[in-house]
Amino acid sequence: MNAPTGWNKAEQAQVVASRLAPGSVINLGVGMPVSVAAAITAEQQIVFHCENGLIGYRALEENEPVDPDIIDAAILPIQVIEGAAVVDLMTSFMVARGGRLDATILGAFQVAANGDIANWSGAVGRVAGVGGAMDLAVGAKTVIAMLKHTDREGNPKIVERCTLPLTAVGCVNLIVTDLAVIRVTDAGLVVEEMAPGLTREALIAATGATLDFA
Amino acid sequence: MGLRSKVKASPTEALAGLEDGMTLHVGGWGGIGVPDILIRAIAASGIRGLTISTNNCGMGRPGDVGELFAAGCVKKVLTTFPVHASGVQFKERLDAGEVELEIVPQGTLAERLRAAGAGLGGFYTPTSVGTPLAEGKETRVINGREYVLEMPLHADFAIIRAVQADTFGNLRFRYANRGFNPVMAQAGKVTIVQADEVVQPGAFNPDDVHLPGIFVDRIVVTGAQQ
């Protein structure tokens, strides 16, 4: 049996983008999540927020000139949209903690069935950076974890309980991997969507926590 | 007679009074808005034992915070995102056991700076509850939610970067290079701004000032002075 390849990176970004409500205010975390900016449609009228204080940005168009002062959380060049605003870090995190974000999309090393997320330290004791992840995770109305379903060694990243240092407790609402879309509910993990060609058995085998199927 | 000018003749003159063992806020975020000329001057000064607050610890760019580590100025760093593939200067000092590292969530760092600038004794935040970064800290349940007590973060000196200053220190920034610069300026006992351009008071409409000059003590100009 060939292992299912799942969604590629651009497809996974489109799956995430399809879950964003029109007109919502969204923060994109470092890593895979920043790719979502290029996956939305103009009709969605999404307002992207960045920790650095940019409110209202978009992905660069092909061959568009780079402005070194306009960057996203991954320090990659972006461009502000019409209607954008710029604030300082303190005000930017008022947006994050103060309940103004409809969703934050965070990369993750591990997500647990209880909604815990570990996304800042790949190993206990290793030097790592937390950035704004902890503030975003506790402040956004919805937390979407966007990650590969398994690590490089094939170990599940969706687990019953996180073993890595936590970013926040019980905050994840939706998990979008290269294999599936999974909702975190009080009753456990519920699969809402699977990549084409993937079987339930293959998904269960790649997951370290109990899955229900919607 | 207009407002007094805070413009200094050189980075060294602007940094007068910065001594071994002091605390220092360093502006910048993701490699932009970094006061590189002031960082260079500190690195060259032979100062030791600084405790610095900075969002990043250097990305291998000329004049970034990495030069403070390379020069052996830093005893301790409070930071949100120290790791960068090109940030070898910080990593070498850390691995050698010469630098103490305290990781601070970015929003908590911003608010600790604000608390210092705002004259507050601290604040309760939901950020970091249940994580290793809350260990040993006082917690309190407010309206049914758990919060962690965080303390104000003062510094003897703050060095920041602005795109434009008037000679009194009213500042303007540009896009994401604003970042930590205003709130760090407000949390410094002595705040030094590195401005790309300096103009006369009155050149900015008061409504267009991003940070009032009363938060700025000294100015170093790197570009045009009008």
Side-chain angles (χ1 to χ4, degrees):
Chain A
M1 186 187 91
N2 288 330
T5 53
W7 291 304
N8 66 28
K9 195 183 165 197
E11 290 166 340
Q12 190 179 347
Q14 278 168 4
V15 171
V16 173
S18 73
R19 298 282 178 150
L20 304 179
S24 54
V25 182
I26 307 290
N27 177 282
L28 302 177
V30 179
M32 209 180 267
V34 293
S35 66
V36 174
I40 60 154
T41 64
E43 289 70 31
Q44 285 181 283
Q45 298 182 309
I46 301 292
V47 177
F48 286 116
H49 159 272
C50 182
E51 292 91 313
N52 61 19
L54 299 181
I55 303 172
Y57 73 83
R58 59 169 173 79
L60 285 185
E61 289 158 13
E62 203 172 338
N63 299 322
E64 188 173 355
V66 167
D67 184 322
D69 288 337
I70 308 180
I71 55 175
D72 69 11
I75 317 183
L76 298 169
I78 49 171
Q79 190 48 264
V80 292
I81 61 170
E82 289 182 3
V86 181
V87 296
D88 74 348
L89 251 287
M90 189 268 291
T91 311
S92 174
F93 279 91
M94 290 177 69
V95 174
R97 280 189 315 263
R100 306 288 174 170
L101 288 176
D102 293 300
T104 186
I105 303 166
L106 297 174
F109 295 121
Q110 288 179 328
V111 182
N114 62 358
D116 290 358
I117 181 169
N119 88 337
W120 65 285
S121 183
V124 175
R126 184 184 295 175
V127 178
V130 71
M134 287 189 178
D135 307 277
L136 293 160
V138 302
K141 289 176 192 158
T142 299
V143 176
I144 301 173
M146 182 183 185
L147 65 162
K148 296 278 280 183
H149 207 89
T150 56
D151 68 17
R152 283 184 190 137
E153 286 78 43
N155 301 306
K157 297 174 76 171
I158 299 169
V159 292
E160 285 295 342
R161 289 290 178 274
C162 292
T163 54
L164 294 169
L166 290 184
T167 303
V169 175
C171 65
V172 176
N173 304 99
L174 194 70
I175 306 167
V176 180
T177 74
D178 52 329
L179 299 184
V181 179
I182 301 168
R183 186 162 297 281
V184 182
T185 73
D186 291 342
L189 301 178
V190 179
V191 178
E192 292 189 343
E193 190 178 342
M194 292 199 299
L198 185 72
T199 63
R200 288 186 177 188
E201 291 67 30
L203 185 64
I204 290 167
T207 307
T210 304
L211 296 177
D212 284 324
F213 290 82
Chain B
M1 185 75 189
L3 294 172
R4 72 183 171 92
S5 171
K6 299 171 185 174
V7 177
K8 302 301 175 188
S10 70
T12 305
E13 188 182 320
L15 288 162
L18 180 67
E19 294 171 3
D20 291 356
M22 282 187 164
T23 49
L24 175 71
H25 296 325
V26 184
W29 189 99
I32 59 174
V34 177
D36 55 348
I37 302 299
L38 292 167
I39 287 172
R40 283 243 159 111
I42 294 170
S45 71
I47 282 175
R48 293 288 177 270
L50 295 177
T51 295
I52 67 169
S53 327
T54 173
N55 188 60
N56 307 93
C57 288
M59 300 162 56
R61 296 184 185 181
D64 77 15
V65 184
E67 296 198 5
L68 294 181
F69 293 102
C73 303
V74 182
K75 173 182 72 176
K76 179 179 177 181
V77 58
L78 294 90
T79 185
T80 87
F81 214 94
V83 239
H84 190 278
S86 308
V88 293
Q89 297 152 314
F90 158 73
K91 194 68 168 44
E92 283 171 5
R93 296 290 173 170
L94 185 77
D95 291 344
E98 295 168 13
V99 172
E100 184 186 343
L101 170 66
E102 181 176 340
I103 299 279
V104 184
Q106 204 163 102
T108 296
L109 179 61
E111 199 63 15
R112 288 182 65 185
L113 292 163
R114 191 191 83 89
L120 302 179
F123 59 94
Y124 287 94
T125 177
T127 303
S128 87
V129 166
T131 79
L133 298 191
E135 280 170 14
K137 291 178 180 169
E138 185 180 324
T139 61
R140 181 168 174 176
V141 176
I142 302 170
N143 292 332
R145 189 175 194 188
E146 189 174 346
Y147 294 82
V148 175
L149 177 63
E150 292 285 355
M151 294 300 181
L153 187 60
H154 296 275
D156 297 307
F157 278 75
I159 57 172
I160 67 156
R161 174 88 170 258
V163 169
Q164 286 183 311
D166 69 21
T167 56
F168 183 66
N170 292 310
L171 303 184
R172 289 179 54 76
F173 304 93
R174 184 173 183 275
Y175 294 115
N177 74 21
R178 190 181 313 198
F180 271 109
N181 285 311
V183 76
M184 283 190 167
Q186 291 167 319
K189 288 183 193 135
V190 176
T191 291
I192 310 167
V193 59
Q194 172 184 330
D196 299 347
E197 181 191 3
V198 167
V199 297
Q200 290 303 312
F204 306 148
N205 184 313
D207 281 329
D208 294 335
V209 171
H210 294 154
L211 185 77
I214 56 169
F215 294 111
V216 172
D217 299 290
R218 305 170 188 173
I219 302 163
V220 174
V221 191
T222 57
Q225 186 162 3
Q226 295 166 12

